[in-house]
Amino acid sequence: MSRRFRSVAGWYLLLIVPLLGTIVFNVYPLIKTVIDSTLNMQGHFIGFTNYNIMFSDPEYHQSVGNTFYMGILSVIINIPLAFILANMLNSIPRGQNIFKVFLILPMITSIVTVAILFKFIFSPDPASMANYILSIFHIKPFSWFSDIKTSRESVVMMSVWKSIGFNVILFFAGLQTIPTELYEAAKIDGANERQRWLYITIPCIRNTFIFVYLTSCIAALKSFADVYAVSSEYGDPGGSLFTIMLYIFRKSFSTLFSKDTGLASAASVFLFLLILVITIINYLLTENSERVRSFFKIRRTGKKGALEE
Amino acid sequence: MSEKLIKSMVSKEHMRMKKVLAVLSGLTISASLVVGCSDANQSTSTTSTKSSGAKKVVRVAYQGVLDKDTIDPLSGMMYKGKDALIQLLKKKLPDIDVQITTVPNTDWIQKTETLIKNGDVDVAWYTNQVQAADWFYDDSELMKNDKDVNLNTINKIFIPAALAYVPYRSFDKPESTGQYYGLPIDMSNYMMTYDKQIFDDWGVQPPSQNATYDELLAKAKQVTGKNPKTGKQNYGMFLKSYWLEWHSIGFNATHSIKVDGMKLSNLNIKNDVDYMKDSPDVLNYFNYLKEAMELAPKGIASGAGAEKFFTKDNDIAINLDAGTASTLLQYTYANKKDITDRFKPIFMPLSKDGKQGFPEFHKVAIAKNASDKQAAWEVVKALTTDKEIVDFQISNYDTSGLPVLQDTSGMKVMDLPLNQQRQDYHSKSIFVTDDYWYWRQPLQSVLTDLLAGKLTPEQAQSEFYNRTKKWIDDKKKQLGGS
């Protein structure tokens, strides 16, 4: 056995450990879930019946709608806000660590504690903290978590407050890697602050943007802890906080609703595929935008050599 | 520096890194093996070892049992931990070494299921679960050979209502109909609560303990508005979608069913489903709730608004949330006169045929893969039929529970006059049915929508029927039209 082969084989051997972990804790449960999604409560094979039931279930439609609405809203607010905060943090010469601690604190706070805090702030009582602030501006009180018109937005506000610190730190780390020489050169060339931000800062942390965007999308689709902490298994008011993960939880483990492992598995498999497809699309649109543009160009013009062009 | 030297340094660095990773991987594998291959009979929260001398070991997973003696912050009562229960069981079952694994209330189903499927327990606590057929061993054979608890004596041991729920019945598993998955320890009992002080402030006669729904609504209307004494806003009623479906029994909006072999095809659709479409009782139920909503605080759609209940600042006159029973009983046991003089119980109103409430029985049963089923059966019997042990469990782990034994003489929990009244009322009126999920789940979602203002009472009635029909159709598809 050559020295080279032994050296390479050693690395492969070491990689087996995480690979085994992935197989045991990810691949096997996934296969088991796919199998369970085709079984009834008695363990008999029923094909795609669970999927048919799920797709015709108004509660499932509601959960998908809520998940997407809250997910999109959360990503739209979270990423730009985190980027702006990271830029502000990067611009101050001293005390960055103090601000970082304050931004990280909500992230390390338990979601249950955060929910209790926000339930207090967003109490439907006209004298609650949030309604009191509104009253200063002569705005009528809201019922926040208790009204179907505002409950989803209130939960998004809460989860953005809790999770934004992580994205700020990621953006901040990205900003720190940009060489100062680029800014100095641009300054000499006469670029103003807006141009430096637009043509140096944003392109240089493109990879951080992609990472934050993808992880935020996946987290948004798997939204569970925040809605569960606010509304328990019910997803109240009126099912407005009922997400796909809550649907799965209810069908799997709830003591208050009838259990249906087959339906829960079908919903889990569909959520997995949904996240996979969305992640691939996002990846293609962000990571390989040049290739995608070329691909569409080929489709449009029908030219085979468009990619090379 | 020559290129050769640099290469050699890089290679050495590589080798060092590989060694570090190899050591880390080795440690990870060793840790995994230690955890994965450790004695399956030893759970992380089980205190004792597998065997102690010649004694048989029975491992019990018990939800609600405290790990240590604890003082309840609300009532100031001292509750005994699992060691005291183990000692009591040791006294009663000297030949068996009982080990208890505490299962927390949160996510208890997942935790219990994991313990059972891993073979970590021989006996487990559960309540009203359709998955009982997957988890537990059918006790029928053991009961045939038992001289104390068998099919001939069981009706003399437990009250009829509890006995009715001992044989398994569920639309999900018709093939398991009639099997015996354990025995009941106690039953839950839900009550509503009213604030006497608010009625006194308004000069209105408070509702009686056995008030009807109409009486409650009429009283609630009289005490809604600015309190004449304090000037603060008072709400006549509080309700939330949680458990609200169980009030449907008292309104005759739902009723008990009898189904041969628990096959959905045997369900009497005309009597048990189609009636929902145009039943005046169903419409009355939704109309009532709509009227009650007008008297309640704003947050009811999400279960909020009653945070000040049981405090001096309470602003709710009648609380329809039957879950308040548990808190009220804790104060009653703790003899907190300032609370119990002000907050009083109202029993759940009865239907035309004298039925009410949620039939919840807490049980213990033998796990399917229990190592010694006979020893496990002895533990199940002790936990459910020994008066001293049942009394201990209710006093310490389920203070709102009531015994289901016919003979409750000498039990300390029955010293409380309220418990005697509850026992009399509940044991006679508890709702007995073959299955309730076919209407319960659809009704839960309808009530959620009604409380959020998404449905009118008429729409709620129509949706109740449609969603129940869909539940049945879907279940039939899953079960192959059985």
Side-chain angles (χ1 to χ4, degrees), chain A:
Chain A
M1 225 187 295
S2 72
R3 193 183 162 85
R4 167 82 184 144
F5 175 78
R6 270 188 282 132
S7 168
V8 173
W11 286 114
Y12 277 111
L13 206 64
L14 289 170
L15 280 171
I16 285 176
V17 178
L19 190 70
L20 276 176
T22 309
I23 290 168
V24 172
F25 297 112
N26 291 81
V27 179
Y28 170 72
L30 182 66
I31 294 167
K32 180 82 172 67
T33 307
V34 172
I35 294 168
D36 283 350
S37 71
T38 60
L39 305 176
N40 67 6
M41 285 290 279
Q42 294 157 306
H44 298 153
F45 179 76
I46 52 167
F48 289 102
T49 307
N50 285 326
Y51 290 91
N52 288 337
I53 292 171
M54 183 183 82
F55 288 126
S56 66
D57 185 357
E59 277 193 351
Y60 185 72
H61 299 162
Q62 190 182 29
S63 74
V64 173
N66 290 337
T67 306
F68 273 92
Y69 180 79
M70 290 200 284
I72 292 167
L73 199 61
S74 170
V75 170
I76 285 175
I77 298 171
N78 199 325
I79 295 177
L81 201 59
F83 183 60
I84 291 166
L85 285 171
N87 271 281
M88 287 158 74
L89 199 63
N90 196 37
S91 305
I92 54 171
R94 276 184 198 159
Q96 285 176 336
N97 285 340
I98 296 167
F99 285 100
K100 270 194 265 180
V101 168
F102 278 110
L103 285 163
I104 286 287
L105 272 177
M107 198 183 87
I108 58 167
T109 310
S110 148
I111 185 68
V112 179
T113 314
V114 173
I116 291 169
L117 177 73
F118 273 79
K119 274 183 176 180
F120 175 74
I121 295 169
F122 287 155
S123 162
D125 195 317
S128 73
M129 200 183 281
N131 282 334
Y132 176 75
I133 294 167
L134 290 182
S135 72
I136 296 170
F137 303 100
H138 304 289
I139 300 170
K140 279 185 180 175
F142 286 117
S143 289
W144 305 105
F145 291 132
S146 301
D147 189 340
I148 46 171
K149 290 177 200 140
T150 51
S151 56
R152 295 184 297 186
E153 292 78 3
S154 307
V155 168
V156 168
M157 274 197 263
M158 183 185 84
S159 45
V160 166
W161 181 81
K162 179 165 165 51
S163 62
I164 200 163
F166 182 64
N167 288 345
V168 172
I169 298 301
L170 287 175
F171 278 128
F172 179 73
L175 291 169
Q176 296 269 299
T177 60
I178 303 171
T180 47
E181 290 86 350
L182 289 177
Y183 291 109
E184 283 160 10
K187 218 171 181 178
I188 291 163
D189 289 344
N192 61 27
E193 199 149 329
R194 188 187 62 85
Q195 285 168 324
R196 288 200 298 269
W197 195 68
L198 212 60
Y199 298 110
I200 297 174
T201 309
I202 292 177
C204 281
I205 61 160
R206 189 168 168 273
N207 285 341
T208 312
F209 261 114
I210 292 166
F211 178 77
V212 169
Y213 176 63
L214 288 181
T215 50
S216 298
C217 283
I218 292 168
L221 286 168
K222 293 200 297 182
S223 169
F224 173 72
D226 44 2
V227 286
Y228 184 78
V230 168
S231 70
S232 177
E233 298 165 38
Y234 276 80
D236 278 347
S240 59
L241 300 179
F242 192 48
T243 59
I244 302 175
M245 284 297 287
L246 211 52
Y247 182 90
I248 295 167
F249 180 85
R250 234 195 227 186
K251 300 285 177 195
S252 303
F253 307 115
S254 174
T255 47
L256 305 170
F257 297 87
S258 70
K259 183 183 158 94
D260 197 323
T261 317
L263 269 183
S265 302
S268 302
V269 171
F270 189 70
L271 179 62
F272 167 76
L273 294 175
L274 201 67
I275 292 173
L276 191 70
V277 168
I278 289 173
T279 308
I280 289 170
I281 292 169
N282 280 339
Y283 180 79
L284 287 173
L285 289 175
T286 51
E287 184 72 6
N288 294 324
S289 50
E290 279 306 313
R291 276 189 177 189
V292 174
R293 271 200 291 274
S294 304
F295 173 76
F296 284 115
K297 202 174 168 187
I298 297 167
R299 297 293 295 261
R300 247 194 337 267
T301 58
K303 283 181 190 171
K304 276 188 177 178
L307 199 64
E308 284 76 24
E309 286 170 21

Side-chain angles (χ1 to χ4, degrees), chain B residues 252-411:
Chain B
N252 305 296
T254 50
H255 55 253
S256 68
I257 54 162
K258 277 273 163 217
V259 181
D260 281 345
M262 291 313 294
K263 290 189 173 174
L264 264 174
S265 51
N266 293 339
L267 177 69
N268 187 332
I269 297 291
K270 191 168 179 285
N271 280 348
D272 302 329
V273 181
D274 286 351
Y275 79 96
M276 292 171 185
K277 270 190 289 189
D278 43 23
S279 158
D281 290 326
V282 174
L283 185 61
N284 178 42
Y285 170 55
F286 292 125
N287 273 325
Y288 185 96
L289 295 178
K290 188 78 185 166
E291 272 194 80
M293 281 163 61
E294 306 299 325
L295 311 173
K298 267 192 168 182
I300 54 162
S302 64
E307 292 78 12
K308 290 183 279 188
F309 205 73
F310 289 122
T311 70
K312 62 180 174 53
D313 297 323
N314 173 50
D315 50 10
I316 291 162
I318 298 169
N319 196 332
L320 286 195
D321 176 13
T324 53
S326 175
T327 316
L328 184 64
L329 277 155
Q330 275 178 300
Y331 285 124
T332 311
Y333 279 119
N335 204 22
K336 297 266 179 189
K337 283 274 179 195
D338 53 329
I339 303 283
T340 54
D341 283 349
R342 178 171 171 179
F343 295 93
K344 303 279 181 189
I346 307 167
F347 290 168
M348 300 283 281
L350 303 177
S351 65
K352 281 172 196 162
D353 53 357
K355 298 294 172 200
Q356 56 83 30
F358 173 38
E360 185 180 27
F361 293 91
H362 303 135
K363 297 178 189 172
V364 273
I366 303 169
K368 249 186 183 157
N369 46 9
S371 45
D372 187 337
K373 300 218 165 44
Q374 188 58 50
W377 173 243
E378 295 302 323
V379 174
V380 167
K381 279 198 303 175
L383 285 168
T384 55
T385 61
D386 186 292
K387 279 200 281 184
E388 191 182 354
I389 297 176
V390 172
D391 199 19
F392 178 89
Q393 292 173 88
I394 296 175
S395 307
N396 290 284
Y397 313 132
D398 186 20
T399 45
S400 65
L402 283 171
V404 288
L405 293 170
Q406 287 201 3
D407 177 15
T408 56
S409 58
M411 290 178 80

Side-chain angles (χ1 to χ4, degrees), chain B residues 8-162:
Chain B
S8 145
M9 281 172 71
V10 169
S11 172
K12 274 183 185 169
E13 187 58 36
H14 230 88
M15 287 306 290
R16 199 180 301 144
M17 200 174 153
K18 195 194 271 184
K19 275 180 189 167
V20 170
L21 282 171
V23 170
L24 284 174
S25 304
L27 283 171
T28 311
I29 294 167
S30 310
S32 309
L33 286 173
V34 168
V35 174
C37 302
S38 62
D39 187 353
N41 296 322
Q42 249 183 338
S43 169
T44 46
S45 52
T46 307
T47 48
S48 34
T49 52
K50 188 188 176 187
S51 170
S52 52
K55 281 186 178 179
K56 295 164 184 170
V57 175
V58 175
R59 301 151 304 163
V60 182
Y62 201 134
Q63 194 262 104
V65 170
L66 305 163
D67 262 324
K68 290 194 165 71
D69 293 357
T70 308
I71 295 173
D72 178 50
L74 197 69
S75 60
M77 295 275 287
M78 162 71 94
Y79 295 125
K80 297 275 186 194
K82 69 177 180 183
D83 287 343
L85 180 60
I86 289 171
Q87 288 308 314
L88 196 56
L89 285 161
K90 203 174 175 182
K91 193 176 85 180
K92 305 281 180 172
L93 302 166
D95 298 331
I96 298 173
D97 179 11
V98 180
Q99 300 171 1
I100 294 177
T101 300
T102 56
V103 178
N105 185 32
T106 315
D107 302 334
W108 72 268
I109 294 182
Q110 298 96 303
K111 283 159 190 161
T112 303
E113 188 159 15
T114 308
L115 288 167
I116 291 172
K117 293 275 164 81
N118 279 351
D120 285 338
V121 288
D122 304 302
V123 170
W125 180 102
Y126 78 106
T127 172
N128 294 43
Q129 291 307 306
V130 289
Q131 59 264 47
D134 293 330
W135 293 356
F136 299 120
Y137 174 76
D138 177 17
D139 303 331
S140 304
E141 282 303 310
L142 290 163
M143 286 174 84
K144 271 183 197 167
N145 304 320
D146 197 288
K147 63 179 173 50
D148 301 319
V149 182
N150 54 53
L151 297 172
N152 295 321
T153 59
I154 196 168
N155 58 347
K156 295 180 189 88
I157 298 170
F158 298 107
I159 59 169

